[in-house]
Amino acid sequence: APARIAVTGLAVMGSNLARNLARHGFRVAVHNRTNARTKALISEHGHEGEFVPAETLDELVGSLQKPRQIIIMVKAGAPTDAVIDELAPLLEPGDMVIDGGNAHYADTRRREAALREAGLHFVGAGISGGEEGALNGPSIMPGGSKESYEHVGPVLEAISAKVNGEACCVHVGPDGAGHFVKMVHNGIEYADMQLIAEAFDLLHRAGGLTPAEVAEVFRGWNTGDLESYLVEITAEVLAHVDAETGSALVDVIADEAEQKGTGRWTVQEALELGVPVTGIAEAVFARSLSGRASQREAARAALGVNEVVASRDDSLVEDVRQALYASKVVAYAQGFDQMRAASTEYGWDLDLGSTATIWRGGCIIRARFLDRIKEAYDRNPELETLLADDYFRDAVRTAEDAWRRVAVKAVQSGVPAPGFVSALSYYDALRSERLPASLIQGLRDFFGAHTYRRTDREGSFHTLWSGDRSQIDA
Ligand code: NDP
C-alpha cells in the first residue's frame, strides 16, 4: 500500500517525527540524503509502526499516495532549498511540501510563492518542543493555504501535543505565518528565561537565598499563576548539585549564554515592523553581554567588581514573584503585538487566541498562563494590547507595587535586572498621559526641520529656529 506521508531528513528531529507518525498509525515513507540514517531508523525503530524506507527522493515520491505530503526536516537555510529544488520536479500539482525546520519566515514566503507557481502547496510549519516533543507530541504552527491544511491538518494534529484533548496545532495563516509565529515563540522563550534568571539572581544575590532555596521557591511558584514548563525545570536545574565539586551546578556552569539566533530574528523583525518588543530585546542583549568575556573582565578590572550585599527580607520572595508575573505579561503582550503587526503587514489574518492555544502544550513556553491569553482574545479578538484585557489589567495592577519595589531593590543593590526594569518602563510609558516624544519632535524640528504636529489643531508645523522663531505651516 502507498504511504500516507513522507519524511526526508532523518537526523534527531526527522526520525523522531517519523516515529511519532508511525506510532499514530500513519504509514510513513522515510528518506535521508545519507542512507545510513534511514537504515538505522528502520533497524532500531522499525517495529514501532509501518515505515517505508526509500534510498532516493524519487523512490520516496513513488511510494506515496496522492496528493503527496512530504515533510522536510533538514538543516535550515541552503540545505532546505537544495532538497526543495531536487524534490519539486518530482511532484505533481496539488502535492504538498511541508518544511518543519527552523526556517526564517521570509524564506518560507519565498519558497511558498515559488512552489505555488508550480501548482504545489508549501506548508511552512514551525515545530517546537525539541527532540522529545518531536517524538511524543510537539507544538506545531503550520502556515500555507487552507486547502493544504485540509490534507495535512489531520495528520499534524494527530501527532501534536494535546491539552484537555485539544491539539496544539492550528492552521496559523498563509505562507510564512507559521514560521513567523514560531519565531515569536522563540523570542518570547528568550524573554521568559531572562526574567526567570533575573528572579533567581535577585533572590540569590540580593536576597541571600541559596540556589537550593530558590529551587524550593520556584517549586512553590509552579503551583500558581506562574505554572509552566520553564518554571518547573528552573527548580530542577537550581536544585541540581554538581557531583565533582559538591556545589550547586548553577554555580559551576560558565555564565556565558549562547544563542542560535531566533531571538535575534524576532528583534530584527520587530525593528522592521516598528513594534517595541523590549522584553525580548533585553533578553537577547543580556545574552550577548554575558558572552563578552574579555570586555567583562576589562570592566571588572577598571571599575571594580560589583559587590552585592545580601539582605534576607521575607517579603522579597513574594515581591519577585509578582514582578516576574507582571514582566512576563508585558513580554507576552509585546510578542502578541508583534504578531498582530505582522498579520496586518502581510495580510495573514492571524487568530491570536488560537496561537495561544497552540503554545499551551508541547513547546518550551507551555504554561497555564496561555489559557488566560486565549480567553482574552476570545473576549476581544481586536484587543489593542493584552494589557488592556480585564484579566491582565488586574494582574499587572495588583503586581504594580511589588514590581516597583523589586526594580528599586535591583537598582539599589546592583543586581542587573534589565527585563524587570524595562518591562516596568514599558508599562509606565504605555499609560503615560504625555510622553517626552514631544521634546524629541521639537529637537528634530530644530536641527532638521522635520516638522511637528500640535495637540490643539491639525496640520504640520515648523518653527523658524534660526530666524525669528515664529511658527509656519509646513
Ligand atoms: P540538523 O539540523 O542537524 O540537520 C541534519 C539533517 O539535515 C540530516 O538529515 C542531514 O542529512 C540533512 N541535510 C543537511 N544538509 C543537507 C543537504 N544539503 N541536502 C539534504 N539533506 C541535508 O537536524 P535536526 O534533526 O537537529 O533538525 C532538523 C530541523 O529541525 C532543522 O531545521 C532544525 O533547525 C530544526 N530543529 C528544530 C528543533 C525544535 O525544537 N523544533 C530542535 C532542533 C532542530 P545527512 O544525514 O545526509 O547529513
Side-chain angles (χ1 to χ4, degrees):
R4 173 78 163 79
I5 192 160
V7 177
T8 180
L10 301 175
V12 56
M13 290 295 291
S15 52
N16 279 359
L17 212 62
R19 290 171 61 198
N20 187 349
L21 286 161
R23 289 173 178 191
H24 279 86
F26 297 108
R27 197 171 152 81
V28 54
V30 287
H31 166 266
N32 191 69
R33 177 180 62 178
T34 312
N35 192 234
R37 281 198 206 266
T38 314
K39 284 191 178 144
L41 172 64
I42 300 299
S43 70
E44 288 163 34
H45 304 287
H47 60 279
E48 293 174 12
E50 292 184 78
F51 294 95
V52 183
E55 285 191 30
T56 62
L57 278 180
D58 208 6
E59 201 184 314
L60 187 80
V61 167
S63 70
L64 282 166
Q65 70 177 52
K66 297 178 187 176
R68 304 178 183 90
Q69 299 173 25
I70 299 158
I71 301 178
I72 302 178
M73 277 313 272
V74 304
K75 214 175 260 309
T80 303
D81 281 317
V83 173
I84 293 171
D85 289 348
E86 192 184 336
L87 191 58
L90 307 172
L91 299 175
E92 291 170 316
D95 287 349
M96 287 152 256
V97 177
I98 303 136
D99 176 17
N102 268 336
H104 191 281
Y105 81 97
D107 286 337
T108 302
R109 282 168 63 80
R110 169 177 58 77
R111 290 166 183 153
E112 195 274 338
L115 291 200
R116 186 156 21 94
E117 287 276 293
L120 302 173
H121 295 283
F122 186 72
V123 176
I127 300 185
S128 177
E131 45 185 291
E132 153 80 23
L135 183 60
N136 297 316
S139 165
I140 309 181
M141 293 147 260
S145 66
K146 283 208 175 88
E147 192 188 341
S148 63
Y149 194 77
E150 282 168 23
H151 294 274
V152 302
V155 182
L156 298 181
E157 287 176 21
I159 64 165
S160 75
K162 308 285 181 307
V163 173
N164 304 330
E166 277 181 78
C168 296
C169 171
V170 177
H171 181 227
V172 175
D175 58 77
H179 276 132
F180 191 94
V181 165
K182 169 69 197 316
M183 177 189 78
V184 174
H185 162 283
N186 285 33
I188 290 177
E189 176 186 314
Y190 274 59
D192 253 343
M193 288 168 67
Q194 175 64 22
L195 294 170
I196 285 172
E198 290 177 19
F200 161 65
D201 204 17
L202 278 160
L203 293 175
H204 181 40
R205 289 204 291 157
L209 271 62
T210 64
E213 287 171 326
V214 183
E216 271 313 306
V217 167
F218 271 84
R219 212 162 276 143
W221 288 353
N222 200 38
T223 61
D225 290 336
L226 283 168
E227 181 189 325
S228 61
Y229 172 68
L230 282 171
V231 165
E232 177 192 331
I233 66 170
T234 298
E236 302 231 1
V237 173
L238 289 177
H240 191 78
V241 175
D242 176 47
E244 265 174 64
T245 58
S247 308
L249 179 68
V250 73
D251 286 337
V252 180
I253 297 176
D255 63 346
E256 294 169 28
E258 296 177 5
Q259 44 188 323
K260 280 197 187 162
T262 42
R264 179 171 58 230
W265 283 357
T266 315
V267 177
Q268 285 170 333
E269 290 311 316
L271 290 171
E272 290 301 324
L273 291 164
V275 180
V277 292
T278 54
I280 300 170
E282 290 294 357
V284 173
F285 285 139
R287 288 199 197 186
S288 307
L289 188 153
S290 77
R292 296 167 75 81
S294 64
Q295 192 179 51
R296 288 172 60 191
E297 197 181 320
R300 283 195 301 265
L303 304 165
V305 169
N306 180 10
E307 302 280 4
V308 176
V309 180
S311 60
R312 289 238 169 197
D313 163 3
D314 290 343
S315 60
L316 186 65
V317 169
E318 176 57 15
D319 278 359
V320 171
R321 186 189 70 80
Q322 296 203 28
L324 176 56
Y325 192 59
S327 303
K328 182 181 162 97
V329 169
V330 165
Y332 279 70
Q334 294 176 340
F336 276 79
D337 199 16
Q338 181 170 1
M339 291 191 288
R340 184 164 165 266
S343 181
T344 305
E345 174 76 16
Y346 302 113
W348 284 336
D349 197 21
L350 293 184
D351 174 347
L352 298 176
S354 65
T355 301
T357 308
I358 302 178
W359 294 346
R360 286 188 307 170
C363 65
I364 306 299
I365 65 171
R366 59 185 184 260
R368 179 199 285 196
F369 170 79
L370 288 156
D371 286 326
R372 305 286 90 79
I373 297 183
K374 165 86 172 102
E375 290 159 11
Y377 285 108
D378 281 348
R379 280 190 285 271
N380 178 7
E382 306 301 326
L383 208 51
E384 280 281 344
T385 166
L386 260 187
L387 296 171
D389 170 73
D390 289 357
Y391 172 83
F392 290 107
R393 182 200 60 201
D394 292 349
V396 287
R397 273 193 188 160
T398 306
E400 188 175 326
D401 291 346
W403 199 2
R404 292 192 194 285
R405 284 193 295 272
V406 169
V408 168
K409 178 88 177 175
V411 171
Q412 280 183 337
S413 65
V415 173
F420 284 174
V421 174
S422 117
L424 184 55
S425 288
Y426 176 87
Y427 170 71
D428 285 332
L430 264 193
R431 295 175 314 129
S432 285
E433 177 85 40
R434 294 275 299 157
L435 288 170
S438 53
L439 175 57
I440 291 178
Q441 285 298 85
L443 295 171
R444 293 178 72 245
D445 189 59
F446 188 103
F447 65 68
H450 292 300
T451 76
Y452 51 84
R453 287 182 297 112
R454 297 180 55 98
T455 56
D456 52 1
R457 57 193 152 96
E458 292 292 304
S460 289
F461 304 94
H462 170 55
T463 296
L464 299 170
W465 296 103
S466 50
D468 65 0
R469 305 215 160 186
S470 62
Q471 179 178 275
I472 58 168
D473 288 328

